[in-house]
Amino acid sequence: MSKEEKYDRQLRLWQSSGQSNLENSNILIISPNLSSLELIKNLILPGLGSFTILDSKDNLIQDIDLSNNFYINEEDLGKPKAKIFAQNLNEFNHDVKHDIILINENFQEFWNNEDSINSIKWESYNYIVSNWQYPELIKLSESKDISLIILNSISYFGFLRIFQKQIKVIETHNEKLLDLRLLDPFPELLKYSNDIDLHNLELETHSQIPYLIIQLKALQEYQLQNNGLTPKSYKEKQEYKKIIQNWKKSYDELNFDEALTNSNKIFNYEKIPQGIIELFNKIDENFKTNDKFWLLVKSLKKFTINNDGYLPITGEIPDMDSTTNNYMILKKIYRDKFDQDLKKFQEILFELNVENLLFKKDELTTFIKNAKYLYFSQLSYSFINNVSSFIENFGPELNSFNSIILSFIIIENYYLQFNQLPTLSNFDTLLKITLLFLQNKIKITDDYKAVLYEFIRGNSLELSNISSIIGGIGSQELLKLITKQYKPLDDFLVWDGLKSVSERFKIKS
Amino acid sequence: MDTIDLSNLNRQFLFRQSDIGRSKAEVAAQFISKRFKDVKVTPYFGKLQDKNEEYYKQFTLVISGLDSIEARRWINSTLVNLVDAEDFDSLKPLIDGGTEGFRGQTKVIFPTINACYECSLDTISGQTTYPMCTITNNPRLPEHCIEYASSIEWNQLHPNEKLDMDKPEHVDWLYQASSQRAQEFKIEGITRSLCLGVVKNIIPAIASTNAIIAATCCNEAFKIVTSSNPILDNFMMYSGNDSVFTYTFAYEKKDDCPVCVGF
Amino acid sequence: MLKLRSLQKKKQEELQNNGSSSTKDRKLTPAQIRIEKDLKELDLPPTIKLQKVNDKEFLIIITPDEGFYQYGIFKFQILINNNFPIDCPKVKCLNKIYHPNIDLDGNICLNILREDWSPVLNLNTILVGLLFLFLEPNATDPLNKESANVLIRDKNLFKRYVLSSINGGSIDGVRYDYVLNR
């Protein structure tokens, strides 16, 4: 059986580099509920390296689990959940390794016992998945620098939070990887264009000149007529377009049409996008000689300083109407310029790479091609379980989303305190906890009470559909973190399954 | 008439390697029946179009996770035609889900009452195609070479046989023929995977997105049958390409929809 | 299902007020329903004729009344699949003709038949597009390069070649179909 064939539909998204990151990942799941099981299922199917379930040995399968948990059978009644989950999840894909760790106490006791905490080899996991924001777990995730995903669903609502010090993505899969440099053509491009005598060509050849050359020549013409300036205003751009229009020899010259339709793009050019300038400004506080990402970014900055403020060229050109030959020549000109820039970049990197970290050529090529769209974010480890942090992050009033978030926080407080989920009979207790939490800084509203009631109406149980949605979202985000491709959530999400809508927040530190 | 293929296993959790080649409907039904003994699942391994109105009338609602626009349009139009203004039970809600990579969408259709699938047809695009003169005379991309081999060369060589990407020998032929053409024009980048992708119009798919969309479909179905909460009105789009983005909006019924106008 | 019932009730009242009722033919596929709509909306000049062969096949006859091809009668086959209008109809020229945008096998290079097709276009667009190819053959993105070169270099020669080809003559060793409109 070929892995390429089995994983074909996902390799088209993250290629073998992403797949190899996935196959080398090891995930720890703490006492999984339905959402976590859904999440891990969606990682096992595409071929995760391994997963381990950590749970209390007394957490046994009960009658009620049979009614809503897909991952167990009748004959599993009375057995430890972790064992059965690991076994049954493993059925989905034998490429994936699995393990379980059973602890003797419940989690409330566990997080209060340093010996217990230290008995776990946390460092052997790349990612931890938990349903609750145990303060000790968050601290541990920060101090040991292990990414942590918190996800949970109760009733119709779901939430997801990512803890990771820095998110650094090179392959953001932005579709706009073009960098054509028409406003400031490099010598080889200019020479090729100047050698073409556009106006004395036969129609047959005239209609096959790639539109980039037409645009470049029209710019030169415009500058000749306008003291070397480039078109800025709408009117000036229209004049520029008129030049191209007038050069058209026959109504059906598609290359001239392409030159016209694509002409606005030329003028929206920025040498270095704002996001990359901001990234450059963060080099000093983040640079470490053993951190590949920052080493590459520092080299990139130095490259732009040596290179008239330009990033290395991506070497890509769009498809355009022209003969095969004309297109191939133009493609080679950009390709050669890319090779030159890559060489210059390598030299700079070599100088800065004092620890001789190993970079494959593919890695550098990928970095340069994506240099315009690198993504970086710093995430917060702050607890949101106090009213001032709540106000800072979600505002001073209770609207519909805030009420959902507040309900979550209150139920989480209850759970961490009593080690069990509240039922409908605990409604008044929850209101009391809410009052304590809000400290009169926010007024409880009737809407909030209604949302809280909706939460515990079914005794805080998970609905299969909602846990599957939030588990699906969580697994997408975790896949992005693991493959180090695509931009992940930054960093908190709430799902409202009543209205099928979501809202994102960035938690402040 | 869908059967289980190796490339389904990366996302379909009801199927195992030993099920390859068997009917998806039958294997799934067997699995669910075994796990949930109170649920009655009847597999039907066959074409949607082979069942008549009587067949579709027996259901409360229809959830579709079809892999083609054609099949979606067919079931949509069939359910629109079922509606009899005199008979409450003739209206069968259609919940349609679809995914592509990290993106997906869920549509809740009450035939004749809100926008039907056909009403939104203008927003759907088919397979990418390239100009005939480009692929014949001026190929520039590997895709142009593959299209030439599959739509022109093959027809010249085998006027009476369809190119079938499920036959390994046809895939071999296509790979050879497009590689040769690419070499002739000094074009790089032909791979077997690209050949398959272009001709079969392969859409990337992962378990995560399928879980999100399947679960939103079920959530809407659950809300409809239990009347427990507001129902999605009527489209939800999900995208995980750049962070998480969801968009829920009401698509308008089209005045001149050829399928549902006049009801 | 309570909500559904109330929705339907509302709809039913609306219908009673408007007095409209359903008159659908219940056997057609959505593609056929759409093509029926396109056929109803056809607005063609007398130089284009359309004949229905069966549900999925049409015969088009074009008799241009001006331009290089004005003495010819040209036949096309249009095949429509069940995914119309997502998929563009497959159009083939049934005559072997001398034309810059149509090759000897009857393949046609016309943007709306391939890269620029979209479900908002209809059958009428295609038919008018085909006629346009005869009125204004496109020499700059040709399928048949030799004829395009002649058209660019020498319009009179091109005109003679077209006439000769319509009469069933040979050009550069290729014999063309006799398609003179009598």
Side-chain angles (χ1 to χ4, degrees), chain B residues 70 73 81 85 88-89 91 93 110 112 122 124 129-131 133 136-137 147 156 224 227 256 258 261-263, chain C residues 1-2 4-5 8 11-12 22 24 26 30 33 37 82-85 105 109 114-115 119-120 141-143:
Chain B
E70 186 186 329
R73 292 172 67 196
N81 283 329
F88 280 132
D89 293 327
L91 195 140
F110 294 111
T112 73
D122 290 353
I124 297 161
T129 49
Y130 304 96
C133 40
T136 314
N137 293 321
E147 276 254 326
Q156 283 168 353
I224 291 172
S227 301
D256 62 343
V261 75
F263 278 96
Chain C
M1 301 291 282
L2 292 172
L4 193 52
R5 293 209 166 212
Q8 205 180 3
K11 175 83 190 175
Q12 201 177 20
S22 151
K24 286 269 160 178
R26 300 190 167 216
I33 297 172
K37 178 170 178 274
N82 268 332
N83 210 17
F84 178 79
D105 297 327
C109 190
R114 290 182 71 87
E115 72 276 13
V120 296
D141 281 294
L143 194 55

Side-chain angles (χ1 to χ4, degrees), chain A residues 443-461:
Chain A
K443 267 190 88 142
I444 287 191
T445 59
D446 286 346
D447 283 349
Y448 167 75
K449 285 183 195 166
V451 172
L452 184 66
Y453 182 81
E454 183 68 41
F455 263 87
I456 60 166
R457 194 161 63 106
N459 295 331
S460 306
L461 284 183

